Amino acid sequence: MTRYPHSIYAFKLALVLIMLFNTFPFRLLAQLKAEGWETSNDKTMLLSKMNSLEAGNGRAEIININAAKKYQSVDGFGFALTGGSAQHLIRMSAPQRKKLLSELFGNGPDQVGISYLRVSIGASDLNEYVFSYDDLKAGETDAELKRFSLSQDEKDVVPILKEILAISPKIKIMGSPWSAPVWMKSNQNVQGGRLMDKYYSTYANYFVKYIQAMKSHGIAIDAVTIQNEPFNDGNTPSMQFLAKEALRFIRDHLGPAFKRAGIKTKIVLYDHNCDAPEYPISILADREAASYIDGSGFHLYAGQTSAMGKVHDAFPNKNIYFTEMMAVSKDGGFNTAYPVGRILIGALRNWSKNVILWNLAADPKYNPHTDNGGCSICQGAVTIDGDKVERNLAYYVIAHASKFIPFGSSRIESTLTTKVSNVAFLTPEGKRVLIVSNNSDEPQTIKVVEGGQSFSYTINKSSSTTHIW
């Protein structure tokens, strides 16, 4: 029998190990140093920093991160600053209001960095009463908008926005109307009806005046939608705006009016549920109208967020926005995982540049709201009772993104798994941010892999985590 020197045995062993390393789907990975924050179903963790990243037993759900593959950029995360929200805030004592606004909009260690707000153009159904910026007596008209006035918003919305801008000067603001002034409408009513043809140009100028009036207060309106929920005629206020009407309004009136006035505010289509992607697609198919349009906005009271992806695929050069949804737990508890997965992760994985929830603040009885068509069950992200503040489910849903993902971040590739949902981002500073939602009824072990590094941890049932590295 031929005997080989030990060096030959060592050489052959090395070859075998190299072959095994390259053949089998495992390798030793360096520990990735990540920090994590969790909100748990039992409220023991409320956007709390995780002490350690330790994995439990069992098969891990593997999430691979690829920062080289980028998708949409991020504009921000936040809530609707309804008239009711502003009313509660303005009635707080000045020191307590400043403390709360700093927590909501600041970027410090104990602040959550809300970066996007939606305001109503005129009243929404979460105002005490209905108003427009040009209310007249029955039978009167004002085609030249000589009586246009922002006086109602100047009582609460405008001063609150000014205080917010002092904290967060770059916050983005979207305006959405619930209805045109009654005298412009076919039914002469705050609820339902349509914009009369003869007032299309007047209503376009109404938007121009609104944007200019807000600018005079130092408030820049980054984007407007032309109608909140254009199929909904049951809210008070509300107005129907069908696709063919919206197309004509934007193409022939609003777009040209903005151009004449030198207004750069973005025009966003639709602003309704994910069950009718054909609405924005039909308008974007008109090249002239599309030349004035930045993108499309969506709610999620019906349909699936995949509809947003459908619109993006049809017109990839137009942006997608998520403009409204209430964050609720599927079991009535404090399960953030359900809205984080369905709304936040669902919208972001389907090309949305933002996520706005409904709404920022209400009192313990969900007031105020309009009569006969206002939302009487709409809880705020915070409940304000005088100077007392309670943070609710929606607060933590948005905070899991707004605290960690700044404007200008880009969504990056992250693999889907079977038991948890996730979405990942690359920040302008080069940090990676990963949001994970475990909507299952048991804890899940997660292994996050990027290149030759990884970290593992266990996420509690019905809980959400955000990691940054």
Side-chain angles (χ1 to χ4, degrees):
M1 181 174 65
T2 305
R3 297 183 181 276
Y4 296 95
H6 291 295
S7 60
I8 295 178
Y9 281 115
F11 178 72
K12 286 189 172 184
L13 178 60
L15 286 175
V16 171
L17 290 173
I18 290 170
M19 290 174 64
L20 286 171
F21 184 84
N22 290 322
T23 302
F24 291 93
F26 65 82
R27 50 183 169 148
L28 296 175
L29 299 174
Q31 177 68 25
L32 191 61
K33 294 182 179 180
E35 296 180 298
W37 286 260
E38 180 175 357
T39 299
S40 60
N41 192 38
D42 60 6
K43 296 187 179 183
T44 57
M45 302 279 282
L46 293 172
L47 199 65
S48 304
K49 192 169 184 179
M50 301 166 72
N51 293 325
S52 62
L53 298 180
E54 296 181 358
N57 298 322
R59 182 179 180 277
E61 296 286 290
I62 298 175
I63 302 172
N64 288 293
I65 305 296
N66 178 13
K69 188 168 184 179
K70 297 180 181 179
Y71 300 91
Q72 79 275 20
S73 62
V74 171
D75 275 1
F77 305 92
F79 299 93
L81 177 69
T82 59
S85 298
Q87 175 182 301
H88 289 306
L89 287 163
I90 206 74
R91 291 176 180 175
M92 295 179 76
S93 66
Q96 290 304 311
R97 180 172 64 251
K98 182 178 180 180
K99 181 180 177 182
L100 176 58
L101 291 179
S102 295
E103 175 190 334
L104 292 171
F105 299 96
N107 290 294
D110 298 319
Q111 300 168 335
V112 296
I114 291 171
S115 49
Y116 210 120
L117 288 173
R118 180 174 179 236
V119 297
S120 60
I121 299 176
S124 78
D125 57 308
L126 292 189
N127 279 80
E128 275 190 321
Y129 50 86
V130 177
F131 65 85
S132 77
Y133 303 129
D134 199 330
D135 288 327
L136 307 174
K137 294 179 181 178
E140 293 183 338
T141 61
D142 181 22
E144 296 182 6
L145 300 176
K146 292 180 178 179
R147 302 187 202 179
F148 183 96
S149 171
L150 213 62
S151 59
Q152 293 287 351
D153 281 352
E154 288 168 346
K155 297 175 182 178
D156 40 39
V157 173
V158 167
I160 291 298
L161 283 175
K162 287 181 178 181
E163 291 189 33
I164 291 170
L165 285 164
I167 299 166
S168 180
K170 295 183 179 180
I171 193 166
K172 289 191 176 293
I173 302 169
M174 173 181 284
S176 300
W178 266 239
S179 174
V182 167
W183 54 270
M184 296 186 193
K185 298 174 67 176
S186 59
N187 65 349
Q188 301 290 290
N189 197 301
V190 296
Q191 190 179 70
R194 295 179 182 174
L195 182 66
M196 286 193 283
D197 289 357
K198 64 182 178 179
Y199 290 123
Y200 272 40
S201 290
T202 302
Y203 195 42
N205 290 329
Y206 183 86
F207 278 84
V208 170
K209 281 186 171 289
Y210 169 73
I211 292 165
Q212 291 173 335
M214 292 296 271
K215 185 178 180 180
S216 72
H217 286 288
I219 300 167
I221 302 299
D222 183 71
V224 292
T225 67
I226 65 167
Q227 176 60 46
N228 172 72
E229 298 185 348
F231 297 141
N232 181 0
D233 61 358
N235 267 6
T236 301
S238 58
M239 185 173 79
Q240 286 192 324
F241 219 141
L242 303 182
K244 62 182 180 181
E245 298 167 339
L247 187 158
R248 185 160 53 88
F249 177 65
I250 294 169
R251 182 191 63 200
D252 302 338
H253 302 279
L254 186 62
F258 276 18
K259 187 176 181 179
R260 286 193 300 270
I263 287 174
K264 303 300 182 184
T265 299
K266 302 178 183 77
I267 297 173
V268 177
L269 288 176
Y270 190 45
D271 204 10
H272 208 170
N273 288 325
C274 287
D275 58 351
E278 298 79 14
Y279 185 111
I281 286 174
S282 68
I283 298 172
L284 291 170
D286 185 291
R287 290 186 179 182
E288 189 177 352
S291 69
Y292 296 114
I293 296 166
D294 178 82
S296 307
F298 293 86
H299 302 186
L300 194 56
Y301 301 105
Q304 302 295 325
T305 50
S306 57
M308 302 165 68
K310 182 178 179 179
V311 176
H312 170 267
D313 291 345
F315 295 95
N317 62 325
K318 296 299 182 181
N319 291 316
I320 300 292
Y321 298 90
F322 190 88
T323 52
E324 184 184 316
M325 182 64 189
M326 287 179 62
V328 295
S329 174
K330 67 175 182 178
D331 57 5
F334 209 79
N335 174 357
T336 58
Y338 177 67
V340 166
R342 181 170 182 259
I343 303 171
L344 193 66
I345 294 174
L348 293 167
R349 290 194 78 104
N350 281 281
W351 297 94
S352 185
K353 292 176 69 66
N354 69 342
V355 175
I356 304 171
L357 297 184
W358 182 256
N359 78 106
L360 183 62
D363 71 9
K365 295 183 179 179
Y366 310 142
N367 289 319
H369 57 81
T370 58
D371 294 332
N372 302 318
C375 181
S376 60
I377 59 168
C378 288
Q379 183 186 61
V382 294
T383 297
I384 298 177
D385 187 5
D387 276 355
K388 182 180 177 183
V389 178
E390 181 180 354
R391 292 147 192 83
N392 301 316
L393 185 76
Y395 172 97
Y396 294 101
V397 171
I398 283 296
H400 267 280
S402 62
K403 185 174 177 66
F404 308 99
I405 306 170
F407 170 78
S409 299
S410 296
R411 180 168 69 92
I412 56 175
E413 185 176 45
S414 61
T415 54
L416 294 169
T417 67
T418 57
K419 295 181 180 179
V420 298
S421 56
N422 74 86
V423 66
F425 295 87
L426 179 69
T427 73
E429 294 76 28
K431 296 285 188 179
R432 278 71 164 161
V433 180
L434 175 69
I435 301 173
V436 179
S437 159
N438 177 19
N439 196 35
S440 69
D441 294 328
E442 57 186 17
Q444 299 294 336
T445 299
I446 309 297
K447 184 173 185 178
V448 180
V449 180
E450 184 182 13
Q453 297 180 298
S454 72
F455 68 90
S456 300
Y457 74 103
T458 297
I459 182 172
N460 292 310
K461 67 176 183 179
S462 305
S463 300
S464 306
T465 58
T466 299
H467 288 89
I468 184 167
W469 66 94

